[in-house]
Each structure stands twice: as C-alpha cells, then as structure tokens.
C-alpha cells in the first residue's frame, strides 16, 4: 500500500510502516490543489491538520482506503463523504489523553493559586501575600462535558486532588471509580469548575454560549482544551467581566486557523483574553508533549498495521 504523509510527525511512523512493506511518501509543502492532483495515487493518507480533506478532495481519491489523523479531532475531514466512499477513518486520542489531563490540572493550579501572577510580581520587586491568596481544588465539584479518552484521564487526575468529579456525555452508562455521570442540568447546578472534552460538531459548535453560562447556578472556573469553536468567545468575555466566570483556562480559541498554527483575528474580545489576569491562554499545546508525540504516532501505526498489514 502506498501512503502519503502530509504533516511532519514522529519518525517511528515511517520506520515501522516501512518495515511492514508499506510505501511512504512525505509531502509537507504541497498545497490543497497540489494534493488534489495526485491523491488518486495513494491507498492511505496520514495527516495532522495542515490540509482539509473535504468532499471535493476525497472524491478524487479513487484508491483511498484510509485516512489516519495523528491526533483526536476529526473536524478537518469530511466524515460523511469518507463513509460514503468506503474510506476508513483512524485517529489516536489514546496517545495524548495523559498530556491533556495534566495540562488541565496545571492550568487550574496556576490560575486558582495565582502562581504566574505572583511569580511575575516578585520578579518585579512586588511582594504581595494577601492579594495572592489562592483557591484550593480540594472539595470542588468538577463538571466535565464529554467522557471519552480526555475526559476520563482528566477525571482520574482531579479525583486525586479530592475533587468530586461529575460528567455529562451523550452515551449512557459511563460512570466509573473516578467520576459519576449526570444530566446536563445537574452538572450546571453543581459544578464549581467546568471543563470541555468534546469534539467539534454541529451540535457542539458554541455549546458554551450566553444561555449555557446563565444556566450555571454557581460562579465557576472554565477550562477548554477541546476546540475553540465549542465556545462563543464574546459570551465568555462578558461572563468574565461580570464575574460569573471566575477565571478561564484556554488552550484553544475560536480565532485559530484551521491548521492550529496561529491566530487569524484581532478584536476586542481576544484583546481582553490576552490581557486579563483572570485568563490563562496557551497555544493549543495541551496534547503536545514529547511523550504524546511518540504515543500518538505509535497508536496510529498500530491501528494501520492491525487493519491493513
């Protein structure tokens, strides 16, 4: 089988698949149009996010048997078209779930204990103790929306901090020793901290909006390591200004390019997020550790070999 690699990934992908007699071609620079002109040559494609694989492109892929995304989210692939054309979709959320979970906990600890702010103040010669009094995770109720790989890994970590962890998911019967499944209404009634662990779909686009935020009974901390467009940023900013959202940890923003390589907006809401002491922003790196890079690649290799070797 001939496989096209459209993004740079861990070299173990090429090494291990080559050992199994797959033919791999690396192309990290071709445009969408260039890929369209040659896509029919390949049996498989391995991607991250650089090129969107939409219906137009997939219909040209006459021999394509699978698309493998080194990551969790699949919104850059037209899944409906792929299913119609008999193209198998493969992803690897198992590979970066631990990285995401640790990032969630790290951001919360930094935000709630004012660690970054206090450190920067001391480095400027400012010594403030009462003003930097923290807020403990212990005893907080954490509400997770989505209980797949990322949600479960996050629940496991937070339960170790003495949090009560609850979650809402569209699939039933997912409760385990780390978290209890509840209705969305119960989650909104109980949560001190809200964290998103969901894909981006038509149903989850702007899931967290003004109406949703108003439905939260308590003032709460908000964490998003899922997708930027799961959140209506303007509504979030208004809630931060009013105090309804006590603080936000954002690894993703709705202003990111589809490739996640940079931001493509400059507006008042973004300026507020970047300047506010109540907000931590990171550049879509929750699943981006040295360890996850290797694990993501290994999961993809194992799944391809299991299905096509």
């Amino acid at each position: 089988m001939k496989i096209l690699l459209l993004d740079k990934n861990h070299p173990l992908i090429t090494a291990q698949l080559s050992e199994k007699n797959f033919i791999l071609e690396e192309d990290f620079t071709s445009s969408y149009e260039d890929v369209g002109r040659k896509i029919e040559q390949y049996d498989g494609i391995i991607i991250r996010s650089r090129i969107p694989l939409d219906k137009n492109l997939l219909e040209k892929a006459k021999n394509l048997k699978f698309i493998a995304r080194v990551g969790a989210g699949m919104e850059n692939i037209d899944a409906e078209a792929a299913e119609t054309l008999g193209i198998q979709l493969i992803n690897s959320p198992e590979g970066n779930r631990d990285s995401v979970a640790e990032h969630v906990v790290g951001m919360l600890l930094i935000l709630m204990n004012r660690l970054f702010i206090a450190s920067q103040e001391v480095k400027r010669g400012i010594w403030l103790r009462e003003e930097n009094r923290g807020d403990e995770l212990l005893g907080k109720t954490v509400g997770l929306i989505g209980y797949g790989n990322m949600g479960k890994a996050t629940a496991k970590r937070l339960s170790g901090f003495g949090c009560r962890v609850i979650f809402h998911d569209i699939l039933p019967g997912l409760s385990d020793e780390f978290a209890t499944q509840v209705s969305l209404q119960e989650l909104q009634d109980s949560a001190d901290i809200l964290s998103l662990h969901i894909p981006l779909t038509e149903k989850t686009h702007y899931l967290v909006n003004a109406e949703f935020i108003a439905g939260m009974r308590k003032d709460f901390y908000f964490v998003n390591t899922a997708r930027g467009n799961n959140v209506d940023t303007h509504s979030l900013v208004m809630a931060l200004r009013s105090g309804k959202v006590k603080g936000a940890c954002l690894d993703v923003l709705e202003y990111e390019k589809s490739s996640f390589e940079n931001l493509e907006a400059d507006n008042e809401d973004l300026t507020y997020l970047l300047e506010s002491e109540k907000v931590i922003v990171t550049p879509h790196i929750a699943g981006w550790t040295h360890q996850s890079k290797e694990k993501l690649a290994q999961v993809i290799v194992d799944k391809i070999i299991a299905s096509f070797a």
Side-chain angles (χ1 to χ4, degrees):
M1 296 181 72
K2 190 175 182 181
I3 302 175
L4 175 64
L5 287 76
L6 288 174
D7 297 273
K8 292 181 180 179
N9 285 295
H10 197 284
L12 73 80
I13 292 178
T14 300
Q16 293 186 19
L17 290 179
S18 295
E19 288 178 2
K20 295 292 183 179
N21 298 316
F22 290 91
I23 300 169
L24 292 100
E25 179 181 317
E26 297 178 345
D27 183 349
F28 307 145
T29 59
S30 284
S31 66
Y32 172 91
E33 291 75 17
D34 293 335
V35 172
R37 282 190 282 270
K38 66 177 184 177
I39 196 170
E40 65 179 351
Q41 302 174 32
Y42 301 98
D43 301 290
I45 294 178
I46 299 176
I47 64 166
R48 283 208 318 263
S49 304
R50 188 173 68 84
I51 299 288
L53 299 179
D54 57 17
K55 182 179 180 181
N56 173 62
L57 210 59
L58 296 182
E59 287 180 341
K60 297 175 182 178
K62 304 299 183 184
N63 298 304
L64 200 61
K65 298 175 180 61
F66 73 86
I67 300 167
R69 178 162 191 270
V70 185
M74 303 291 273
E75 67 271 15
N76 263 19
I77 303 168
D78 188 329
E80 185 176 342
E83 182 179 1
T84 299
L85 295 166
I87 300 169
Q88 182 177 335
L89 299 184
I90 300 169
N91 65 343
S92 53
E94 306 92 335
N96 62 354
R97 60 189 173 192
D98 297 315
S99 173
V100 169
E102 290 190 14
H103 199 88
V104 170
V105 174
M107 286 198 297
L108 280 171
L109 291 172
I110 290 168
L111 179 74
M112 294 171 65
N113 291 283
R114 297 177 60 86
L115 298 181
F116 181 76
I117 295 168
S119 176
Q120 292 298 105
E121 286 176 349
V122 172
K123 290 179 179 181
R124 297 197 305 270
I126 302 169
W127 189 272
L128 298 175
R129 298 184 67 227
E130 184 59 37
E131 293 84 349
N132 285 308
R133 192 179 288 274
D135 193 7
E136 295 180 8
L137 278 171
L138 179 67
K140 297 287 193 297
T141 296
V142 180
L144 310 177
I145 299 184
Y147 205 62
N149 283 280
M150 313 303 174
K152 290 177 183 178
T154 301
K156 183 177 180 179
R157 270 73 175 180
L158 288 171
S159 65
F161 279 84
C163 296
R164 173 190 176 224
V165 186
I166 58 177
F167 70 90
H168 176 71
D169 196 283
I170 59 174
L171 299 177
L174 299 180
S175 293
D176 57 24
E177 66 268 39
F178 304 116
T180 302
Q181 189 161 8
V182 298
S183 68
L184 186 59
Q185 184 62 60
E186 184 175 345
L187 185 147
Q188 289 182 284
D189 286 343
S190 302
D192 301 294
I193 299 167
L194 174 67
S195 185
L196 300 187
H197 301 277
I198 50 179
L200 180 62
T201 67
E202 289 184 6
K203 291 184 178 180
T204 64
H205 186 272
Y206 280 6
L207 174 68
V208 176
N209 55 20
E211 181 181 1
F212 184 99
I213 293 170
M216 296 288 289
R217 185 174 64 84
K218 303 177 183 178
D219 296 344
F220 65 99
Y221 295 100
F222 177 66
V223 186
N224 190 12
T225 55
R227 288 292 184 262
N229 281 300
N230 293 137
V231 181
D232 175 9
T233 304
H234 182 68
S235 296
L236 175 62
V237 168
M238 292 300 100
L240 284 161
R241 290 183 184 275
S242 72
K244 179 66 178 179
V245 174
K246 298 164 73 173
C249 304
L250 306 175
D251 183 55
V252 291
L253 296 165
E254 69 168 301
Y255 310 119
E256 291 177 70
K257 293 182 178 179
S258 61
S259 63
F260 309 139
E261 292 175 341
N262 212 324
L263 299 176
E264 54 181 1
D266 182 12
N267 57 52
E268 186 176 329
D269 291 329
L270 178 59
T271 299
Y272 176 85
L273 294 178
L274 298 181
E275 294 180 353
S276 174
E277 288 190 348
K278 297 166 69 175
V279 182
I280 293 176
V281 183
T282 52
H284 204 131
I285 56 169
W288 206 253
T289 61
H290 296 291
Q291 292 79 12
S292 70
K293 182 177 182 180
E294 180 173 351
K295 287 189 283 187
L296 285 165
Q298 191 63 63
V299 169
I300 285 295
V301 167
D302 292 344
K303 289 183 177 180
I304 291 173
I305 290 174
S307 296
F308 298 101

